[in-house]
Amino acid sequence: MRVMVLVKATEDSEKGFSPTPEALEMLKAMGRFNDELVKAGIMQAGDGLKPSSQGKRIAFDGSSRTVIDGPFAATRELVAGFWLWDVKDMDEAVAWVKRCPSPMPGPSEIEIRPLYEMADLQ
């Protein structure tokens, strides 16, 4: 089963990356975790995202398209990073996330969402 693992944004992540000693240590810990995921054959892709202030949204309404510049409100609903994993089931995904180093200074959340497979759409 494939899952998207979403690291939720925080006020800190929306400020952008600052190479403080703490931030660099967090990156090293996350790099070690990513290495474990790759060696276990779990991780297919993953990366951190720049703050929403550098992003854009496109709103659709019929044939109309409206471009909305960031930053976007509701920081806790934004995504700061992601992984695409191939796991045997949701329990395995949860077990891996529980092993993950804290992705942010202070409180943070990681969300796991299964991807649709072709069998789900028939």
Side-chain angles (χ1 to χ4, degrees):
M1 120 183 257
R2 293 180 310 146
V3 295
M4 179 70 70
V5 182
L6 304 165
V7 177
K8 303 303 283 260
T10 65
E11 288 183 19
D12 285 325
S13 69
E14 280 293 288
K15 291 176 188 170
F17 179 74
S18 293
T20 65
E22 297 81 14
L24 293 172
E25 186 53 42
M26 262 193 334
L27 281 179
K28 287 180 189 175
M30 196 60 73
R32 290 188 295 270
F33 181 65
N34 287 341
D35 288 344
E36 289 181 52
L37 290 166
V38 169
K39 287 177 187 169
I42 301 293
M43 185 172 156
Q44 296 182 335
D47 236 318
L49 302 174
K50 291 186 177 184
S52 70
S53 61
Q54 297 182 37
K56 298 194 182 288
R57 286 184 179 165
I58 293 74
F60 290 72
D61 187 2
S63 62
S64 173
R65 306 293 187 263
T66 304
V67 177
I68 305 160
D69 294 326
F72 307 123
T75 299
R76 306 257 326 142
E77 298 303 318
L78 298 174
V79 175
F82 72 94
W83 288 282
L84 181 61
W85 292 351
D86 190 1
V87 293
K88 67 180 180 212
D89 54 28
M90 188 61 84
D91 289 339
E92 182 180 25
V94 168
W96 275 101
V97 170
K98 284 182 169 182
R99 293 175 55 187
C100 180
S102 184
M104 302 284 170
S108 57
E109 291 182 357
I110 293 179
E111 179 178 338
I112 306 168
R113 302 272 302 274
L115 275 66
Y116 278 108
E117 303 292 349
M118 286 307 295
D120 299 323
L121 304 174
Q122 296 174 359

